Amino acid sequence: MNVNQPAPPGVPYGQPQPGYTGYQSSYGGQPGPIIPPSPYGAYNGPMPGYQQLPPPGVPRAPPSSGTPPASTTVRGPSSQSAYGQFGQGDVQNGPSSTVQMQRAPVSQPFVPAPVAPLVNQPAAFQPYGPPPTSAQVTTQMAGMQISGPAGPPPSGLGYGLPPTSMASASGSFQGSNLYGSYPQNLAPPTSLAQAHPGAQTPQCCAPMQASSFPPSAAGGPRPPSIAGPSMPGQSFGGPPVSQSNHASSPPPQTQPPMPGPPGPPPPMHSSQPGYQLQQNGSFGPARGPQPNYGGAYSGAPNFASPPGPPQPPPPKRLDPDSIPSPIQVIEDDRNNRGSEPFVTGARGQVPPLVTTNFLVKDQGNASPRYIRCTSYNIPCTSDMAKQAQVPLAAVIKPLAKLPPEEAPPYVVDHGESGPVRCNRCKAYMCPFMQFIEGGRRFQCCFCSCVTEVPPQYFQHLDHTGKRVDFYDRPELSLGSYEFLATVDYCKNNKFPRPPAFIFMIDVSYNAVRSGLVRLLCEELKSLLDFLPREGGAEESAIRVGFVTYNKVLHFYNVKSSLAQPQMMVVSDVADMFVPLLDGFLVNVSESRTVITSLLDQIPEMFADTRETETVFAPVIQAGMEALKAAECPGKLFLFHTSLPIAEAPGKLKNRDDRKLLNTDKEKTLFQPQTGFYQSLAKECVAQGCCVDLFLFPNQYVDVATLGVVPYHTGGSIYKYACFQVESDQERFLSDLRRDVQKDVGFDAVMRVRTSTGIRATDFFGAFYMSNTTDVELAGLDGDKTVTVEFKHDDRLSEDSGALIQCALLYTSCAGQRRLRIHNLSLNCCTQLADLYRNCETDTLINYLAKLAYRGVLSSPVKTVRDALISQCAQILACYRKNCASPSSAGQLILPECMKLLPVYLNCVLKSDVLQPGVEVTTDDRAYVRQLVTSMDVAETNVFFYPRLLPLTKVPVESSAEPPAVRASEERLSKGDVYLLENGLNLFLWVGASVQQGVVQSLFSVPSFSQINSGLSALPVLENPLSKRVRDLIDSFRAQRSRYMKLIVVKQEDKLEMLFKHFLVEDKSLSGGASYVDFLCHMHKEIRQLLS
Amino acid sequence: MATYLEFIQQNEEQDGVRFSWNVWPSSRLEATRMVVPLACLLTPLKERPDLPPVQYEPVLCSRPTCKAVLNPLCQVDYRAKLWACNFCFQRNQFPPAYAGISEVNQPAELMPQFSTIEYIVQRGPQTPLIFLYVVDTCLEEEDLQALKESLQMSLSLLPPDALVGLITFGRMVQVHELSCEGISKSYVFRGTKDLTAKQIQDMLGLTKPAMSAQQARSVQPQGQPFISSRFLQPVHKIDMNLTDLLGELQRDPWPVTQGKRPLRSTGVALSIAVGLLEGTFPNTGARIMLFTGGPPTQGPGMVVGDELKVPIRSWHDIEKDNARFMKKATKHYEMLANRTATNGHCIDIYACALDQTGLLEMKCCANLTGGHMVMGDSFNTSLFKQTFQRVFSRDFNGDFRMAFGATLDVKTSRELKISGAIGPCISLNVKGPCVSENEYGISGTSQWKICSLDPTSTLAIYFEVVNQHNAPIPQGGRGAIQFVTQYQHSSTQRRIRVTTVARNWADAQNQLQHIEAAFDQEAAAVLMARLGVFRAESEEGPDVLRWLDRQLIRLCQKFGQYNKEDPNSFRLSDSFSLYPQFMFHLRRSPFLQVFNNSPDESSYYRHHFARQDLTQSLIMIQPILYSYSFHGPPEPVLLDSSSILADRILLMDTFFQIVIYLGETIAQWRKAGYQDMPEYENFKHLLQAPLDDAQDILQTRFPMPRYINTEHGGSQARFLLSKVNPSQTHNNLYAWGQESGAPILTDDVSLQVFMDHLKKLAVSSAS
């Protein structure tokens, strides 16, 4: 459904987008329509056959654009078709096929020609997916049918429903009704269904197609995304689902019919034009569908009629396959946009999804790796923005690590005078600055103030008004670059000294007993050789220092001239100070022998310790004071085990109280116990002292309080509950290595400037702010993200768009003071449809999650959840009201770009922070809360909707990642093995009836029952499957900033509970709604808003 | 009178006691008219090579308020095996062990030659001596090096089982743990924060035995003393460790910017040292040895700020009430000193710097605990090095000349009461019937604690005769005083030395000449001087001088022979003849004159004056001058400007300085190199003679005096010129240009003028 709609908007966009290349020249954007066709052709050309389809659509698009909604629906199909192919492969979902069926008809009519190719593909796929799927499907089907019965008897003809949809298509409303049949039962579901109908009904044919194409175009806006992508995604979800999405309701219904598909599918496909497949999500499996269709049609009527009655019988459930599927969307985007580089030249381009691998070519706007926005086309007025309720936010990762193929930002040195800046707003020179008067002055693109060009920077302009040295100067031609800062940009007007790392190790009883101290000291000996260094430097400029502590602190003098390290004990923890100056922070290579000797002796010295109490705040104070004394920024690595109960400032008490859950006081669990840490954090930030905290708790340690300083100083927290060297060593060491070796900027200040009309109003992330504009980060690494929210403070104009410049002043790890600048230009719109067409749901979720996670500090969790739901409902309702084609109120219509919003939102709502299960500790919640706050879009995406990959479905020889499946228990086959990851956790789920051969080759045991549940590593076996699985696990780990410990879970085992927690589309034990239920709920909310 | 001189000398040698009066006026009224109070200088541990200690417990009087020790003055009934206490007349049974005594089989304590006797008692656990070094690291490299060497050297002088500890300080204070292998550990304290003893002990982990790894390891059967083992270790165990540690000791690493003094946390360092010992070894012999090279500049006890442009307080500032930190600092150190004394430990201060180091504020640390105070210019001088070495000198038995934790208990017969004591002690506040209300010095008690003492430590003890005029003392009655000193010998034995003395009574009305003849003017001078110096610590200088003058005049009035209003008729008997001269020099001495002395110097001088024995004290009051010339053998000469002649070499000993002064001619000869010519070997010998004599003095003196070798016209000749009686000045022209002696450029009155005035006042009926 969403799909459909987006599609429409897409059309217009799409055109422009395609035009991109061309466009750039002619920003007009809109003109697109005219040009589009041709451009598309060009683009599409390169694209797979599918895309071709869209092109055709495009032409039609124009008209479609006229009728956005319709178009959307259409798109659905088209895109689906494209996806479909994939989808089939992936999904296997028989059910989907049914959907396809439905669409098939539709699509066919539309783009027969293009379809054809698609079809073929699907066919090819079918083989894979179908078989297994079908089985499942059938079962599902059965269920579905039942539901069907509930509704209209014809349900059996699930397909019939689709037809209905068809009908609905004709009359989208009807469609909704149809849905109703399934959905009807459940009011909400119905709505969904309805949505679908709308989409599907799109009557697909006429309007639909038109739209569809456009959509592709729309999706296309970003060339890759081409309407198609989004659409596809849907279709993928469950192919059927996707379709359903488009055609909202119908698909679901169709799905039930699925049963049919299984059998028939093959034929169906063939029979069906590729189109169908495509549309439906290639469920093409359609085969069944076709027949269904027939039925569907008939059914349709039924639906129509049933609507009323069915609802009462709600028993019927919405078919999960018919609702938008994240898997499908991701897959579609990958296919459509993963192959071409993303060129950032044009304004307001929506980048490919974070899950897609793509290359970026910086041509004047910052790479999406640095900045992603919730929307790339923002309303011109605040009224519009308010109406849409779509938050305007950018997720900025200023020091993001780039893939090796992309060049890091160039460093520009403007000499002693420093970077060229606007006189008034102090914005830095960037590609959007307008040079006037023959190049003697430039007009600021942010505040319009005219500034003299410094003489040494003067350059003539060419006939187009561009400076002649345009291509020679990164700051004029690129979106991201760095300036060397002058002494004016330094604290106290002194160039900073190279930073220092201080390792502060808890040596209390717990730490020693668990083996942590020994392990850590051993590791540090080698790790110190890998401190971050700049560029080609032979040796890191970073100095290191060591502190151990229990309830007193031990500093070490490791001066190179000493034969033995010296320990200095400071027991005056109430009034911390640094006992030595010289010899505490040393160069590793100079003091190597002394350091090695120290690290050898630390475990010995404390081997027999009985001290169980620890302090915490004084440790940070000590580190900070040490940096202050050395007059340098730096980072503290704190290794801590227990609640700091020793008498000292920042002493904490155990306040963990589960009785507070779901009360107004629950928020106190997220708040720090004392304000002490807040002020400590402030001091740390002032000193450029970043704190990384490694926790090894055996019980409650009050992460919410201990985390305050790391949080505000831009540090990281790592938590290893019940640390055991044997099982957790690899994870800890891997995290430690990465944390120590990663590039860090110190003593950073980030400022986000915007062109007139919008203003950065709110910031989320791990940092400290002493005023309303400057984000202060004692330390910032490539993993940390800051989310910035913008608000209107004036009107924007469509012509000039909106600009964002993020300037980060920081000290590099060699002690160089630098400015990193990221620029991004966005479009502005006067039509809400444009907004909805250029949104990015992943970013939106990132923002919403952070907003909600901050909300729990001040409001009861329930309030926060309700606020989230209502905001999303408003977003969707606004779309429905203003952008969707008129349709029945009972129909759920989602914007193409946001069709995953409900599922993702549900994941956020069910997350541990907002709805904790019994097994989730207070510390876990606080930990996750802080973690999420500095996550980037890719991380939040997988964190909230985990990746679930079947391992035995794809031939072992294949090097590609197996296609993901949706995170639902229904998708698990007893006979398969699955890998699930969410960025923090990694599970290997083994079905109860998995083949013995598989068990043998993976675990080296003869049978399922002999697999050791809870295993944390796979044996290294020389067989293709084992190797492949281990490679896959390794590649997962490599993608994430934290090492994920593997947990092997057997089906029906008690550990499975843990695993099921991550099957986010299902009902959760803690009361979280299933995807289907939640969708229904959302629909209800939207309807309420609309009425 | 020769007999009295002998008697006095003999008494001093046997008992270490010198009374101002050796025949006592028998009534209170008469006694007060004697002007000079009845008092004595007591050297409790006077070296007595001829006195073998006895290995048993003393026998005590059974009256609880008396508890006097059996002594040769007691009446003994050998039949009944009873003895009568000569203080309270209580009759006591001898203990069973004395069953065999008889007239011919007397225990030592009953023999007259054992009026002073020493008992060795087996009481309590024997704890080794403790030496805690507290070392300033804000020193010049050279100084620090020299200090380190001295400290390392001292390790070899300590008894092997002595416990040593090390605290270093600068901006921070570090307490070094000595028991560890490998990594050297230290506990570090901020130098600005005053900590209570409890906090210090907590922070050092001394409160809970299970605290540290070390302790956990060393199981715990050894018990309490080992709690502190981390910081105080037997020398023999950590000799090498500590030597290395001292060797690696670096100057305080914190930067000192231009125009600033280094931040020196002396106050906190001492406080920690005190707290450490307090928590671990209370009431055992322990020395805290503070080595400092400058004034405390931060934290509690700071004496001056770190801005160099603000100079450290002078007497001038103090008079103007302009010494910002003085009161607070003094209070801090007094508090520490009192705590230390309570614990029976002592604090030595070795301050070596060109400028003042805050001795004025810190003096009580040494004064109240019996610690040493040494002042020098640098640690890299022989003055410090040898002085420090001499701290560890040994006596004829090979024992250290130091004793710890002594209590001095004074018992008097009924006619006497105790007015107070002046010396390196604190009051134990034991009020008894024999404590007078008339107060001199540290008073209101009959017992004092002397935390550290050596064989020369001398206390002045003042008495009051309380016998009423109308209660005559039976003929032949003698007044007795018993001094019971319990202490920890350097061999860690507990010992008790008991000295019992008795003097005859005399009725001042008809037997004044006896009393007069038994006057010990040297002792009296020192006793009066101590009173004067004691007062000077708390009173304005001029008031003290006036008081001294008045006492002198009254004495002269009382004992002089003169016709009223006829100064020329004034005569003093031999036993008083030198007394006015002592007073003259005392008035000019640095103990009472602060002019030209810094507050630190005054404190330093007074510190030593209050603890040296009679001979040394007299030298301090009136330096000795020897003359060497071709006219005869070396001879003492008058401390007078007339003694400064061109053909003489003078050797002056002021106790603090030894000055060798070559007369003008001698200096010229030496310059001409006669001493190198074989035919003038006698001149070489003449030059050498004072040097050898000076060496003799240097060998025995503690602290090492400043050794000054100068000549006529030399700048350092001022040390001599400032001491001699200015009989010839630029004012009395008749002496000007004469060949006899050298005129002194001063407006000070000469002895002659002083005496003239004294006579005038003494004979005047107006006063």
Side-chain angles (χ1 to χ4, degrees), chain A residues 935-956:
Chain A
M935 277 186 179
D936 70 7
V937 180
E939 286 170 314
T940 48
N941 172 271
V942 75
F943 176 74
F944 288 114
Y945 194 94
R947 273 207 285 180
L948 179 60
L949 306 189
L951 296 182
T952 59
K953 286 287 152 58
V954 180
V956 284

Side-chain angles (χ1 to χ4, degrees), chain B residues 189-490:
Chain B
F189 296 81
R190 202 189 265 277
T192 50
K193 196 170 167 191
D194 201 3
L195 298 166
T196 65
K198 168 106 182 24
Q199 283 173 311
I200 291 168
Q201 286 155 23
D202 281 350
M203 288 178 186
L204 289 177
L206 302 177
T207 38
K208 273 188 272 167
M211 250 211 63
S212 84
Q214 266 73 27
Q215 286 156 19
R217 229 177 278 178
S218 69
V219 206
Q220 272 119 22
Q222 278 118 332
Q224 222 238 351
F226 281 83
I227 289 181
S228 57
S229 61
R230 286 177 299 147
F231 304 109
L232 298 167
Q233 286 281 302
V235 179
H236 64 91
K237 269 171 89 182
I238 46 94
D239 197 2
M240 296 304 293
N241 255 357
L242 189 53
T243 306
D244 292 349
L245 191 59
L246 286 168
E248 284 193 356
L249 207 57
Q250 296 297 313
R251 292 181 60 198
D252 195 52
W254 301 87
V256 179
T257 45
Q258 194 79 36
K260 301 264 191 184
R261 294 187 175 91
L263 290 174
R264 194 181 267 112
S265 325
T266 322
V268 171
L270 266 186
S271 163
I272 289 169
V274 171
L276 170 62
L277 290 177
E278 190 170 56
T280 50
F281 291 96
N283 296 313
T284 49
R287 292 198 97 86
I288 294 169
M289 307 175 96
L290 170 68
F291 303 87
T292 180
T297 46
Q298 69 168 0
M302 79 184 269
V303 164
V304 64
D306 65 342
E307 289 283 351
L308 265 176
K309 64 184 181 202
V310 183
I312 191 166
R313 78 275 174 287
S314 63
W315 277 119
H316 185 74
D317 295 327
I318 294 171
E319 279 158 26
K320 289 263 156 60
D321 201 15
N322 217 2
R324 282 181 60 201
F325 305 106
M326 188 181 75
K327 285 217 177 75
K328 235 181 118 189
T330 307
K331 210 174 144 198
H332 174 77
Y333 293 110
E334 270 175 3
M335 179 271 292
L336 284 182
N338 281 315
R339 269 170 51 195
T340 311
T342 310
N343 296 316
H345 306 139
C346 79
I347 300 177
D348 290 349
I349 301 174
Y350 304 87
C352 288
L354 289 170
D355 197 2
Q356 301 187 74
T357 54
L359 287 181
L360 171 70
E361 287 79 0
M362 293 189 280
K363 66 186 174 201
C364 48
C365 290
N367 287 347
L368 302 188
T369 64
H372 300 306
M373 187 189 281
V374 174
M375 190 171 82
D377 290 342
S378 156
F379 288 108
N380 196 17
T381 56
S382 60
L383 186 149
F384 165 74
K385 290 179 185 169
Q386 296 190 21
T387 303
F388 182 54
Q389 206 163 346
R390 210 154 289 165
V391 170
F392 302 100
S393 64
R394 293 168 185 257
D395 64 12
F396 52 91
N397 280 330
D399 291 324
F400 285 108
R401 291 176 205 263
M402 58 175 84
F404 295 94
T407 54
L408 170 64
D409 189 1
V410 181
K411 301 178 190 306
T412 60
S413 47
R414 289 176 179 176
E415 300 82 5
L416 290 175
K417 284 196 174 178
I418 303 156
S419 293
I422 297 178
C425 58
I426 60 163
S427 160
L428 279 176
N429 279 319
V430 177
K431 315 245 188 253
C434 58
V435 175
S436 162
E437 286 171 4
N438 195 6
E439 303 189 332
Y440 288 115
I442 303 160
S443 52
T445 178
S446 64
Q447 287 184 21
W448 293 269
K449 187 161 194 175
I450 314 162
C451 296
S452 165
L453 68 175
D454 58 46
T456 64
S457 301
T458 303
L459 278 78
I461 300 167
Y462 299 83
F463 302 94
E464 184 188 15
V465 178
V466 293
N467 194 43
Q468 292 305 317
H469 182 63
N470 50 11
I473 292 166
Q475 191 63 33
R478 303 176 79 192
I481 300 176
Q482 189 171 61
F483 304 102
V484 181
T485 311
Q486 307 195 33
Y487 68 99
Q488 181 187 346
H489 189 255
S490 60

Side-chain angles (χ1 to χ4, degrees), chain A residues 19-342:
Chain A
Y20 273 4
T21 49
Y23 268 56
Q24 298 176 346
S25 56
S26 65
Y27 270 43
Q30 302 275 348
I34 308 169
I35 307 175
S38 61
Y40 275 88
Y43 285 107
N44 301 329
M47 309 280 278
Y50 328 6
Q51 298 181 350
Q52 293 179 351
L53 294 180
V58 177
R60 301 174 181 178
S64 65
S65 65
T67 60
S71 65
T72 54
T73 53
V74 176
R75 291 155 91 243
S78 66
S79 61
Q80 292 172 353
S81 64
Y83 300 101
Q85 302 171 347
F86 298 102
Q88 291 182 345
D90 307 347
V91 189
Q92 59 321 21
N93 308 328
S96 56
S97 66
T98 58
V99 179
Q100 294 176 350
M101 304 289 290
Q102 300 176 345
R103 301 196 171 180
V106 181
S107 63
Q108 290 178 353
F110 288 102
V111 195
V115 176
L118 299 172
V119 178
N120 301 336
Q121 295 176 349
F125 287 77
Q126 294 174 353
Y128 306 37
T133 336
S134 61
Q136 296 180 347
V137 177
T138 51
T139 58
Q140 295 178 352
M141 301 289 286
M144 299 301 285
Q145 292 183 348
I146 298 173
S147 64
S155 68
L157 308 174
Y159 298 85
L161 298 178
T164 12
S165 66
M166 299 289 290
S168 64
S170 50
S172 61
F173 298 68
Q174 294 181 349
S176 65
N177 297 335
L178 299 178
Y179 289 92
S181 65
Y182 287 152
Q184 284 170 5
N185 308 339
L186 314 178
T190 331
S191 62
L192 293 172
Q194 296 169 350
H196 295 289
Q200 297 178 344
T201 50
Q203 320 90 28
C204 331
C205 309
M208 298 294 285
Q209 293 175 348
S211 62
S212 69
F213 291 125
S216 62
R222 322 60 165 299
S225 65
I226 302 181
S230 58
M231 306 291 290
Q234 300 175 345
S235 54
F236 283 79
V241 182
S242 63
Q243 295 179 351
S244 60
N245 300 336
H246 298 284
S248 56
S249 53
Q253 302 171 349
T254 57
Q255 292 173 355
M258 297 304 281
M268 294 308 290
H269 289 292
S270 62
S271 68
Q272 295 181 350
Y275 285 147
Q276 296 179 348
L277 298 178
Q278 295 171 352
Q279 294 178 353
N280 298 328
S282 37
F283 305 169
R287 30 160 91 198
Q290 294 181 347
N292 296 330
Y293 271 103
Y297 285 106
S298 62
N302 295 334
F303 282 106
S305 57
Q311 290 179 350
K316 210 7 185 175
R317 288 188 62 225
L318 191 56
D319 174 10
D321 282 338
S322 66
I323 51 185
S325 155
I327 305 299
Q328 190 70 47
V329 173
I330 290 168
E331 200 68 17
D332 287 352
D333 191 72
R334 260 186 208 157
N335 291 333
N336 288 314
R337 304 197 61 181
S339 51
E340 289 239 330
F342 177 67

Side-chain angles (χ1 to χ4, degrees), chain A residues 491-505:
Chain A
K491 211 183 268 179
N492 305 329
N493 277 336
K494 274 201 301 204
F495 279 113
R497 298 204 191 176
F501 281 1
I502 304 179
F503 297 90
M504 317 188 88
I505 307 165

Side-chain angles (χ1 to χ4, degrees), chain A residues 425-645:
Chain A
C425 69
K426 301 291 177 195
Y428 296 86
M429 178 53 62
C430 73
F432 309 114
M433 294 288 186
Q434 197 67 46
F435 285 87
I436 55 175
E437 296 183 26
R440 274 173 297 147
R441 297 171 174 213
F442 66 90
Q443 183 168 31
C444 177
C445 49
F446 296 95
C447 69
S448 306
C449 171
V450 174
T451 303
E452 292 277 346
V453 173
Q456 72 278 11
Y457 195 67
F458 174 79
Q459 187 56 267
H460 293 286
L461 306 185
D462 67 9
H463 62 285
T464 60
K466 268 201 304 203
R467 278 169 62 115
V468 177
D469 61 355
F470 179 82
Y471 289 106
D472 301 333
R473 291 195 175 269
E475 75 272 23
L476 297 182
S477 51
L478 297 181
S480 302
Y481 43 88
E482 291 199 329
F483 288 118
L484 274 191
T486 63
V487 78
D488 300 335
Y489 292 82
C490 303
K491 211 183 268 179
N492 305 329
N493 277 336
K494 274 201 301 204
F495 279 113
R497 298 204 191 176
F501 281 1
I502 304 179
F503 297 90
M504 317 188 88
I505 307 165
D506 181 348
V507 289
S508 65
Y509 178 72
N510 282 337
V512 173
R513 195 201 46 181
S514 68
L516 167 66
V517 174
R518 192 171 293 276
L519 177 70
L520 177 59
C521 289
E522 203 50 45
E523 177 64 21
L524 281 181
K525 278 190 236 169
S526 49
L527 190 54
L528 292 178
D529 289 328
F530 300 98
L531 298 179
R533 60 190 97 173
E534 194 148 71
E538 275 190 15
E539 192 173 273
S540 172
I542 292 174
R543 290 174 297 161
V544 297
F546 302 88
V547 170
T548 56
Y549 65 94
N550 37 47
K551 69 185 218 188
V552 298
L553 276 77
H554 319 108
F555 293 78
Y556 296 93
N557 185 345
V558 283
K559 201 166 158 179
S560 55
S561 60
L562 294 174
Q564 278 286 337
Q566 292 176 347
M567 177 205 248
M568 306 179 100
V569 185
V570 172
S571 10
D572 188 1
V573 288
D575 193 6
M576 196 29 76
F577 62 97
V578 181
L580 75 171
L581 190 61
D582 208 17
F584 178 59
L585 296 176
V586 295
N587 180 298
V588 174
S589 58
E590 282 171 13
S591 293
R592 172 162 320 273
T593 50
V594 192
I595 292 176
T596 307
S597 156
L598 172 66
L599 293 172
D600 280 337
Q601 292 186 57
I602 287 177
E604 302 307 326
M605 277 192 292
F606 299 99
D608 301 327
T609 188
R610 301 278 177 84
E611 186 56 67
T612 53
E613 294 188 355
T614 57
V615 294
F616 185 74
V619 183
I620 296 178
Q621 277 175 326
M624 181 192 68
E625 292 290 342
L627 296 179
K628 196 184 274 177
E631 295 175 328
C632 66
K635 191 159 163 179
L636 313 182
F637 296 83
L638 236 73
F639 304 89
H640 191 80
T641 55
S642 56
L643 193 67
I645 50 170

